[in-house]
Amino acid sequence: QIKDSATSTRDVLEQHFSDLKGTLKKLLDERLMSLLQEVDVIEQESIKPLDECQKLIEHGVSTADDLLREGESAVDGDVGQQNEKLCNFTKKALHIQLDSLPEVPSLVDVPCLSAQLDDCLLTILKNQIFRHGTVASRPPVQLEEFVEKPGGILVRWCKVDEDFTAQDYRLQLRKSPGSPFEDVYVGSEPEFLVLHIDPHVDYQFRVCARGDGRQEWSPWSVPQSGRTSLVPHEWTAGLEGYSLSSRRNIALRNDSQSCGVLYSKAPTYFCGQTLTFRQVLFEIETVGQPDRRDSLGVCVEQRSGDESLQRDKAVCISTNGAVFVNGKEMTNQLPAVTSGSTVTFDMEVVQLGPCSNEGGNFKLRVTISSNNREVVFDWVLDQCCGSLYFGCSFSYPGWKVLVF
């Protein structure tokens, strides 16, 4: 681990500083080109009026020179030609203004370009560069525990640096060693349930943290592998009154008039697990009044023809919060199930008397939680039951149920 992490750290540092060099060179080249363009623009704008002034002066001098030669020619000719040439020379001289020149700017008004380069940039860069980057021998957080869930893994982590105050955590996973890590969670909780995990497949996880008031993330924890052997919870496809998502973990009560109980595809709930139903109203204006037969729960077996889970060999909670055990309503009641509610079922085995495959007294201690309240009771069965089905029944369309 030490050699591998050291090699990886060297590679990261070399790549990072190589990228910095390339970026800095690109930025310096861009700045140089920008400054050179400024010089070109100032030069062109400043020299243009001076060039025009020079052309006017040269034109005036040339005209005066031509006129002077013409005058000399008129003086040097014979008397007949002199009069004509002098007359033409006089007319021409009257029409040429040689006593005016364009205004020439004073020397102080003429630009004189120079470059101001502050050496303090090198000092600032030097100080920043020598403070850039750190090497940590121990990340402040490490992965602590992987808990198998149906189709998921509950990942927990902990601080190993007591002086580090974490503001946020960042959890990543990858499915194979050659693939890149991907974010699955960013938040303040020290655990996260990662769903949509294929059973019997090793996933690599790593976590880092951001200190209180800081923007940068800490070094990553040591990557660790986690897996689940539990197949994901799925609803049974094909029941007329319900539409399922592609993963079959979400059921939507549709507009069909058909009523009945939607069961899980298999008895995938095992005692000792936590089964969670999350209720979401799909379209609240089309739900209508909840029916007293509406319910969520677990049962020993699937039965066709039932309109509700409020029957024998089943425990459930109705949408109004009533709890039913083997079809009988308990005196204890939970809050009504509404939009955004979460209902959880926890069970542990409490065996009474001998138990075999042929039957016997069997007791499960059941805890049902909803909206920060819970009820606990013993569910007595006449047979051993290591795994259970889950199910739901709704009379009106619009209910949407996610199970995990």
Side-chain angles (χ1 to χ4, degrees):
Q1 175 176 312
I2 295 175
K3 289 185 176 181
D4 290 344
S5 63
T7 301
S8 175
T9 301
R10 291 189 190 96
D11 293 340
V12 170
L13 289 171
E14 290 174 356
Q15 183 63 49
H16 177 74
F17 278 85
S18 175
D19 293 343
L20 277 181
K21 290 177 184 178
T23 303
L24 283 173
K25 184 179 183 306
K26 181 180 178 182
L27 292 174
L28 289 172
D29 289 342
E30 290 177 354
R31 182 56 180 163
L32 174 60
M33 290 303 299
S34 175
L35 292 172
L36 291 175
Q37 288 174 1
E38 286 187 38
V39 173
D40 293 340
V41 170
I42 294 174
E43 180 185 27
Q44 293 171 7
E45 291 179 349
S46 301
I47 207 169
K48 183 178 178 180
L50 295 176
D51 285 341
E52 293 175 351
C53 181
Q54 182 178 359
K55 289 178 181 178
L56 288 174
I57 294 174
E58 290 175 350
H59 177 71
V61 171
S62 176
T63 303
D65 189 52
D66 292 341
L67 187 61
L68 178 61
R69 283 194 296 270
E70 188 175 339
E72 290 175 346
S73 175
V75 172
D76 294 338
D78 55 30
V79 176
Q81 291 178 339
Q82 280 182 348
N83 292 333
E84 183 180 355
K85 288 182 178 180
L86 286 171
C87 183
N88 291 334
F89 171 77
T90 303
K91 290 180 181 179
K92 189 173 183 180
L94 291 174
H95 289 87
I96 297 176
Q97 295 181 351
L98 297 177
D99 58 347
S100 65
L101 290 173
E103 183 180 357
V104 179
S106 62
L107 188 61
V108 295
D109 294 329
V110 177
C112 180
L113 280 74
S114 63
Q116 287 76 47
L117 301 173
D118 194 345
D119 291 338
C120 72
L121 175 63
L122 295 176
T123 303
I124 295 172
L125 286 176
K126 180 179 179 181
N127 292 335
Q128 292 294 328
I129 289 172
F130 281 121
R131 288 200 302 265
H132 181 68
T134 57
V135 175
S137 60
R138 288 181 177 83
V141 291
Q142 293 284 8
L143 295 168
E144 182 180 30
E145 184 180 17
F146 298 99
V147 181
E148 293 186 56
K149 296 291 182 180
I153 301 174
L154 177 61
V155 184
R156 293 193 176 106
W157 52 88
C158 63
K159 289 197 309 176
V160 293
D161 184 355
E162 294 300 327
D163 296 330
F164 183 84
T165 302
Q167 176 180 300
D168 292 304
Y169 299 101
R170 182 181 179 189
L171 178 67
Q172 290 188 336
L173 70 74
R174 65 180 178 185
K175 191 172 183 178
S176 58
S179 61
F181 279 95
E182 298 179 0
D183 286 345
V184 292
Y185 173 75
V186 175
S188 59
E189 297 298 324
E191 65 179 31
F192 182 71
L193 176 60
V194 184
L195 297 174
H196 310 317
I197 294 293
D198 296 328
H200 309 292
V201 174
D202 286 326
Y203 289 81
Q204 273 201 324
F205 294 87
R206 66 181 186 180
V207 68
C208 66
R210 181 160 50 197
D212 191 18
R214 305 294 292 270
Q215 293 297 322
E216 70 276 9
W217 292 99
S218 73
W220 290 104
S221 66
V222 178
Q224 295 188 40
S225 295
R227 66 158 50 197
T228 181
S229 59
L230 306 175
V231 297
H233 290 317
E234 294 182 7
W235 298 102
T236 300
L239 189 62
E240 184 178 350
Y242 295 88
S243 303
L244 306 183
S245 64
S246 59
R247 290 183 177 270
R248 295 186 291 276
N249 61 336
I250 300 176
L252 170 66
R253 180 66 169 92
N254 56 35
D255 294 332
S256 172
Q257 298 299 316
S258 175
C259 292
V261 178
L262 176 66
Y263 291 101
S264 58
K265 180 180 178 181
T268 53
Y269 174 58
F270 298 91
C271 294
Q273 296 178 3
T274 298
L275 182 68
T276 304
F277 298 92
R278 179 173 296 159
Q279 296 294 307
V280 181
L281 292 179
F282 183 64
E283 291 181 354
I284 194 169
E285 66 271 14
T286 63
V287 170
Q289 295 296 323
D291 192 277
R292 61 179 181 83
R293 297 169 297 175
D294 294 347
S295 52
L296 293 163
V298 295
C299 57
V300 175
E301 59 190 7
Q302 294 180 335
R303 289 200 325 206
S304 59
D306 291 328
E307 293 186 352
S308 174
L309 278 174
Q310 299 168 18
R311 60 170 176 82
D312 62 333
K313 297 185 178 180
V315 293
C316 64
I317 176 176
S318 67
T319 52
N320 64 6
V323 178
F324 290 84
V325 181
N326 292 331
K328 296 180 179 179
E329 184 175 353
M330 295 181 61
T331 56
N332 293 336
Q333 185 163 331
L334 292 170
V337 178
T338 59
S339 175
S341 293
T342 299
V343 180
T344 63
F345 285 74
D346 288 285
M347 297 190 185
E348 60 178 335
V349 178
V350 181
Q351 185 173 317
L352 293 178
C355 180
S356 65
N357 293 333
E358 289 75 21
N361 292 328
F362 195 69
K363 181 167 66 173
L364 297 174
R365 183 149 296 153
V366 181
T367 303
I368 305 177
S369 303
S370 175
N371 294 334
N372 298 320
R373 289 182 57 187
E374 65 180 29
V375 294
V376 182
F377 56 89
D378 289 338
W379 181 24
V380 179
L381 300 171
D382 59 2
Q383 64 186 84
C384 289
C385 189
S387 60
L388 300 167
Y389 292 88
F390 56 86
C392 69
S393 60
F394 297 101
S395 300
Y396 298 99
W399 288 91
K400 189 176 182 181
V401 186
L402 166 66
V403 61
F404 60 88

